[in-house]
């Protein structure tokens, strides 16, 4: 297998091809292993993608390999490395695998900063490839490892000719809102002007080809959509030849697509997430004077799982397995540690359609810890609530994206499955009006249902499940005969629409002026709020930002409350559609 260099082809002529390969949103999935199920995985892992990379490199006269961000965080293996003391003494397993595969350049995603810039610096200082971003600024030493752009010269085999490939990167300027990376010295500027400047600089340095590593979703060319996405922002910038997207875990083009995906003449590819796909762009090049010009563009994505038969799956790369073996065994051992016991199964299969015992377990953990944090504070006498989010609800992430904890011992593996993010516990002071706005945002994930409709789709497919919140200490109804008040971008769509009805606390109707304390994760505390509704934003204020990780709060609560007999109590419901 070829990992770092392609096989030598015949002598290049005045025309040649450049093959550009992409991974994105690996989220620490070095190996094809599902740590939450403690079993091999057919559909994820850089160890499988590596085999595709080798196969794609072999026939190409010249190839380059890039990643579009979110590679350091997101799996038990990578997160354990970040949280343990050996992080400063051993290379990050993702970086070791990337070095082995000889990546040409990468950009950073929002989750790459989840463990802070000191961890980021330690990981990237061992990388054998440049890290680029046109619009991200980091503090102190970490900034020294980040370049606005790089000009990579790659010599054609068996010739003296070289191609100059300019590479830069970006992420949406609001993408760090609510993340654990909010710290002094970290800032993100708007995408368009930053890319304009980087592209101009690369062109001035003689770049033949411009590649943008965009940790941005596809979006759509909609003048009402002000998000910084590939279609409505990046492809409108002149001078760019290739856009390699990420962030939203979309696969583009579909593996079944036959026509190249070109937008304003730019080749666009997004390779999903977790190493499940490899993105590929083939550029035909012709030499004109001393420069190379793009004459053709072809795009595709390649899956690591080839169908229902295991025999057709892409094999794992032994070299990648070897560099991650020690961390893999240590992670499995740590995840097997016992935390508590449950007398019944806990799962997320119906968390978006009814009261859910798993969500309410997390809410109880938040409430118990918040009560301790509020002791002797000025808000200790206010009613205490907790807002919780189901992270694994299928949908856009696929039919296997749920958690299921069998009755019996609860392990650290189960805690990671229930709450796999590094969010911290925060306390908000909120009014009744703020609670209504929060729940209206949550209820907007559902489609409007016409009275009398049969087999109407319940969910708006644009919404991910993690934009839904439940507040189990309240009771309320969701009226789907009303239109959604907000869209997926949290833009106010229907100012007169109100889906939340009969909102009560302890049986008493909630007035807009009522005051509460709400325990939430840091993502909810700092983000996911309507930017276009300042009057609504004023209905909440941050009272306390703790250093406690939500997963640790949950683990502590389960250990103290075991054995558990989780059972959902009545909270929210759908109002009859009539």
């Amino acid at each position: 297998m070829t990992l770092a260099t392609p096989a030598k082809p015949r002598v290049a002529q005045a025309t040649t091809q450049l093959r550009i390969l992409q991974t994105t949103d690996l989220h620490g999935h070095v190996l094809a292993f599902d740590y939450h199920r403690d079993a091999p995985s057919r559909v994820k892992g850089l160890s499988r993608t590596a085999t595709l990379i080798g196969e794609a490199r072999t026939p190409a006269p010249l190839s380059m390999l890039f990643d579009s961000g979110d590679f350091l965080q997101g799996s038990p293996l990578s997160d354990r490395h970040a949280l343990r003391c050996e992080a400063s003494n051993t290379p990050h397993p993702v970086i070791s695998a990337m070095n082995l595969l000889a990546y040409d350049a990468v950009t950073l995603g929002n989750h790459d900063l989840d463990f802070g810039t000191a961890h980021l610096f330690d990981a990237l200082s061992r990388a054998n490839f440049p890290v680029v971003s046109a619009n991200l600024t980091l503090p102190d030493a970490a900034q020294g490892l980040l370049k606005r752009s790089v000009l990579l010269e790659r010599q054609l085999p068996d010739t003296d000719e070289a191609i100059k490939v300019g590479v830069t990167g970006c992420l949406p300027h609001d993408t760090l809102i609510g993340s654990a990376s909010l710290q002094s010295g970290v800032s993100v500027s708007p995408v368009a002007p930053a890319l304009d400047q980087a592209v101009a600089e690369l062109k001035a340095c003689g770049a033949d080809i411009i590649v943008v590593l965009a940790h941005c979703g596809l979006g759509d060319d909609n003048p009402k959509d002000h998000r910084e996405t590939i279609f409505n922002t990046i492809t409108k910038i002149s001078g760019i030849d290739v856009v390699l997207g990420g962030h939203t875990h979309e696969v583009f083009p579909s593996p079944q697509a036959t026509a190249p995906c070109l937008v304003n003449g730019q080749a666009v590819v997004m390779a999903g997430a977790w190493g499940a796909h490899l993105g590929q762009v083939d550029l035909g090049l012709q030499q004109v004077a001393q420069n190379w010009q793009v004459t053709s563009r072809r795009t595709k994505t390649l899956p690591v799982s080839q169908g229902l038969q295991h025999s057709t799956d892409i094999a794992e790369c032994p070299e990648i397995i070897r560099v991650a073996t020690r961390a893999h065994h240590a992670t499995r051992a740590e995840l097997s540690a016992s935390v508590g016991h449950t007398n019944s199964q806990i799962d997320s299969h119906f968390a978006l359609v009814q009261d859910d015992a798993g969500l309410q377990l997390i809410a109880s953990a938040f409430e118990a810890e918040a009560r301790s944090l509020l002791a002797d504070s000025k808000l200790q006498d206010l009613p205490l609530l907790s807002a919780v989010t189901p992270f694994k609800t299928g949908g856009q992430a696929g039919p296997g994206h749920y958690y299921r904890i069998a009755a019996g011992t609860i392990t650290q593996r189960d805690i990671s499955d229930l709450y796999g993010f590094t969010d911290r516990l925060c306390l908000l002071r909120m009014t009744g009006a703020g609670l209504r706005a929060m729940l209206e945002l949550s209820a907007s994930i559902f489609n409007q249902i016409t009275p009398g409709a049969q087999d109407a789709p319940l969910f708006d497919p644009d919404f991910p499940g993690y934009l839904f919140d439940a507040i189990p200490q309240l009771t309320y109804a969701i009226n789907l005969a009303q239109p959604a008040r907000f869209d997926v971008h949290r833009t106010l769509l229907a100012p007169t629409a109100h889906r939340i009805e009969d909102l009560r606390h302890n049986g008493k109707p909630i007035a807009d002026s009522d005051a509460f304390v709400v325990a939430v994760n840091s993502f909810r505390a700092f983000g996911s709020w309507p930017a276009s509704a300042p009057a609504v934003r004023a209905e909440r204020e941050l009272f306390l930002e703790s250093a406690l990780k939500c997963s640790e709060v949950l683990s502590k609560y389960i250990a103290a409350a075991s054995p558990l007999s989780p059972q959902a109590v009545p909270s929210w419901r759908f109002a009859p559609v009539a």
Side-chain angles (χ1 to χ4, degrees):
M1 176 190 304
T2 303
L3 289 180
T5 56
K8 284 191 175 183
R10 62 184 182 276
V11 176
Q13 306 299 321
T15 61
T16 191
Q17 277 201 344
L18 171 63
R19 174 161 289 177
I20 293 174
L21 304 173
Q22 184 226 14
T23 59
T24 188
D25 294 270
L26 291 170
H27 285 290
H29 290 283
V30 179
L31 301 179
F33 195 83
D34 187 333
Y35 289 97
H36 296 138
R37 290 171 174 78
D38 199 32
S41 171
R42 298 179 59 210
V43 296
K44 67 177 67 172
L46 184 58
S47 56
R48 291 198 193 278
T49 327
T51 302
L52 284 178
I53 291 168
E55 293 174 353
R57 278 172 163 164
T58 299
L62 184 64
S63 65
M64 302 181 78
L65 176 62
F66 301 104
D67 187 272
S68 298
D70 274 4
F71 47 88
L72 291 176
Q73 172 276 347
S75 76
L77 181 144
S78 61
D79 295 358
R80 176 190 174 277
H81 178 89
L83 295 170
R84 297 297 175 266
C85 59
E86 70 258 28
S88 60
N89 301 319
T90 60
H92 196 293
V94 175
I95 298 299
S96 295
M98 286 180 144
N99 284 340
L100 181 62
L101 289 167
Y103 275 74
D104 290 275
V106 304
T107 195
L108 296 177
N110 49 305
H111 286 297
D112 291 319
L113 288 85
D114 274 2
F115 295 104
T117 54
H119 168 259
L120 181 67
F121 174 81
D122 182 77
L124 297 182
S125 65
R126 304 169 192 262
N128 297 336
F129 45 82
V131 184
V132 296
S133 182
N135 68 328
L136 173 64
T137 300
L138 299 175
D140 306 325
Q143 182 61 32
L145 299 177
L146 186 66
K147 302 178 183 296
R148 175 192 297 276
S149 61
V150 291
L151 186 66
L152 304 176
E153 290 196 28
R154 294 294 183 262
Q155 188 168 335
L156 292 171
D158 300 329
T159 77
D160 294 329
E161 301 293 340
I163 296 176
K164 296 179 181 179
V165 180
V167 186
T168 187
C170 64
L171 69 168
H173 82 276
D174 62 350
T175 193
L176 297 183
I177 294 176
S179 77
S181 54
L182 288 174
Q183 61 186 80
S184 176
V186 177
S187 63
V188 185
S189 61
V191 166
L195 283 185
D196 270 331
Q197 181 178 349
V199 170
E201 290 170 353
L202 287 168
K203 288 291 188 183
C205 291
D208 298 305
I209 299 160
I210 301 290
V211 177
V212 174
L213 311 180
H215 193 73
C216 302
L218 294 172
D220 52 50
D221 191 3
N222 182 349
K224 294 183 179 180
D225 183 359
H226 300 295
R227 295 176 303 157
E228 294 174 315
T229 62
I230 291 172
F231 290 165
N232 67 10
T233 306
I234 298 173
T235 57
K236 294 183 178 180
I237 298 172
S238 62
I240 297 171
D241 297 289
V242 177
V243 182
L244 305 178
H247 188 46
T248 53
H249 297 193
E250 298 164 274
V251 178
F252 185 83
S254 162
Q256 292 76 40
T258 56
C261 291
L262 306 180
V263 183
N264 293 336
Q266 300 175 14
V268 177
V269 161
M270 187 185 296
W274 311 318
H277 293 80
L278 177 69
Q280 180 175 311
V281 177
D282 287 328
L283 299 179
L285 302 172
Q286 183 174 13
Q287 193 172 31
V288 178
Q290 299 301 311
N291 300 316
W292 291 90
Q293 295 182 357
V294 178
T295 57
S296 65
R297 299 168 173 85
R298 294 196 302 263
T299 60
K300 64 179 177 180
T301 54
L302 305 165
V304 300
S305 178
Q306 302 293 317
L308 298 177
Q309 300 299 319
H310 288 249
S311 60
T312 62
D313 289 347
I314 300 299
E316 289 189 82
C317 170
E319 291 92 335
I320 300 296
I321 293 175
R322 191 174 302 117
V323 300
T325 292
R326 181 177 177 181
H328 171 65
H329 290 317
T331 300
R332 289 186 68 196
E334 188 168 300
L335 290 176
S336 297
S338 174
V339 176
H341 187 92
T342 177
N343 293 324
S344 58
Q345 178 174 303
I346 304 171
D347 62 58
S348 61
H349 297 138
F350 301 102
L352 294 180
V353 297
Q354 64 182 24
D355 293 316
D356 180 77
L359 271 186
Q360 292 187 5
L361 172 64
I362 299 171
S364 296
F366 282 14
E367 182 181 356
E369 192 64 44
R371 199 168 298 283
S372 175
L373 294 172
L374 283 171
D376 299 324
S377 76
K378 64 181 181 180
L379 300 185
Q380 66 176 342
D381 294 327
L382 289 181
L384 176 60
L385 314 174
S386 46
V388 286
T389 303
F391 293 114
K392 304 183 77 171
T393 56
Q396 295 177 352
H401 196 65
Y402 295 91
Y403 62 74
R404 177 186 176 277
I405 301 170
T409 300
I410 298 175
T411 65
Q412 285 291 351
R413 178 175 296 106
D414 300 318
I415 299 297
S416 178
D417 205 11
L418 272 168
Y419 209 108
F421 292 91
T422 57
D423 305 324
R424 304 173 309 281
L425 184 66
C426 296
L427 302 183
L428 301 177
R429 185 188 186 279
M430 294 184 68
T431 65
L435 290 176
R436 289 180 187 277
M438 185 177 196
L439 293 172
E440 287 287 355
L441 276 169
S442 177
S444 294
I445 77 166
F446 302 112
N447 284 321
Q448 184 177 9
I449 305 298
T450 303
Q454 299 293 317
D455 299 322
L458 180 61
F459 299 106
D460 182 336
D462 289 339
F463 279 79
Y466 62 76
L467 290 184
F468 181 82
D469 286 306
I471 306 179
Q473 298 89 349
L474 305 179
T475 59
Y476 52 97
I478 299 176
N479 184 353
L480 298 185
Q482 290 281 318
R485 187 169 172 83
F486 298 96
D487 67 11
V488 69
H489 316 308
R490 304 181 295 281
T491 302
L492 186 62
L493 287 180
T496 61
H498 299 280
R499 287 183 164 180
I500 301 302
E501 300 178 345
D502 195 25
L503 180 60
R504 296 172 180 266
H505 178 250
N506 289 338
K508 179 184 176 182
I510 293 177
D512 283 353
S513 58
D514 288 346
F516 299 86
V517 175
V518 186
V520 298
N521 63 43
S522 51
F523 183 77
R524 282 295 185 268
F526 294 100
S528 299
W529 203 248
S532 59
V536 174
R537 294 204 309 275
E539 302 297 343
R540 70 170 187 175
E541 63 177 288
L542 180 66
F543 174 70
L544 176 67
E545 179 185 0
S546 81
L548 299 171
K549 288 186 171 58
C550 294
S551 58
E552 295 172 351
V553 170
L554 178 60
S555 182
K556 173 185 173 182
Y557 178 82
I558 289 175
S562 288
L564 305 174
S565 295
Q567 186 173 0
V569 299
S571 175
W572 70 274
R573 64 197 185 278
F574 291 116
V577 177

